[in-house]
Amino acid sequence: YGNVMGSRGSVIPFFIENAKKGLLPITDEKMTRFNITLNEGVNMVQWMLVNSFGGEIMVPKIPSYTVETVAQAIGPSCERKEIGIRPGEKIHESMITASDSQCTIDLGKYYAILPADGSTKNKYQDKGIDFKDVPAGFEYNSGKNDKFLTVEEIRQLVIENVDKNFKPV
């Protein structure tokens, strides 16, 4: 469900540590990722426990960032070195593909990719949960997201979720 801010797989702790050395290795400045805080992830799971029926893949509507924006937020005075993409790595993260669109509904804060048999959609209707079908060919991709975090938003999120004493280098 996105890159959990401050987790072991997040670029943010890696950049904070490398900023102390004055050099931020960047795979590709155009690279984008979705961002979710641990609390947002927990809230999604709690919502799912109450409202889902089983078999759905729930996808949160969350902002994206570029790796370059994170570098600016963490180490604005640091040298940046583009190191290239590693095998298997992608420039943009895709959580819903066009082929999933025919089974995807918009629940407001979340998308749900439903089982293809259509039975789960009826359960949402019966429970009175509002939803909309997504358009045919819809994709949810970190590079085409309608919300990107700014340098200042990233800094504030780092302070709130990773290191309350964080200061850009």
Side-chain angles (χ1 to χ4, degrees):
Y1 49 48
N3 290 282
V4 179
M5 180 169 263
S7 68
R8 286 183 55 197
S10 170
V11 73
I12 292 169
F14 176 75
F15 275 6
I16 289 172
E17 197 56 40
N18 278 277
K20 295 173 189 172
K21 302 171 194 166
L23 176 66
L24 297 178
I26 296 177
T27 49
D28 187 303
E29 66 180 23
K30 297 179 294 295
M31 184 175 280
T32 63
R33 291 293 181 262
F34 286 107
N35 183 73
I36 190 168
T37 66
L38 184 57
N39 284 340
E40 289 169 330
V42 168
N43 290 341
M44 183 181 84
V45 170
Q46 289 175 332
W47 186 91
M48 288 173 46
L49 289 171
V50 172
N51 295 292
S52 65
F53 297 97
E56 307 99 317
I57 298 171
M58 302 301 267
V59 179
K61 291 183 182 178
I62 52 179
S64 294
Y65 57 70
T66 66
V67 173
E68 177 60 26
T69 304
V70 175
Q72 291 172 17
I74 304 294
S77 65
C78 292
E79 179 186 345
R80 291 173 187 61
K81 179 181 179 190
E82 194 164 317
I83 59 173
I85 297 173
R86 296 175 294 202
E89 200 169 30
K90 297 176 183 164
I91 294 288
H92 306 295
E93 183 176 31
S94 188
M95 287 207 272
I96 301 174
T97 64
S99 61
D100 291 327
S101 67
Q102 64 189 15
C103 298
T104 301
I105 59 173
D106 182 339
L107 294 163
K109 286 180 72 173
Y110 309 107
Y111 294 108
I113 304 170
L114 307 176
D117 68 5
S119 63
T120 307
K121 192 182 231 183
N122 295 334
K123 291 177 183 177
Y124 277 98
Q125 288 171 326
D126 294 345
K127 195 171 181 179
I129 296 175
D130 289 332
F131 66 86
K132 296 182 282 191
D133 291 317
V134 300
F138 171 80
E139 293 180 76
Y140 190 49
N141 175 300
S142 62
K144 297 177 183 174
N145 200 356
D146 60 0
K147 171 68 173 132
F148 275 80
L149 294 171
T150 65
V151 167
E152 285 306 317
E153 288 170 323
I154 291 169
R155 287 179 181 158
Q156 189 58 44
L157 285 167
V158 168
I159 291 167
E160 293 170 4
N161 297 283
V162 180
D163 180 356
K164 66 181 180 193
N165 299 312
F166 169 75
K167 299 275 188 259
V169 177

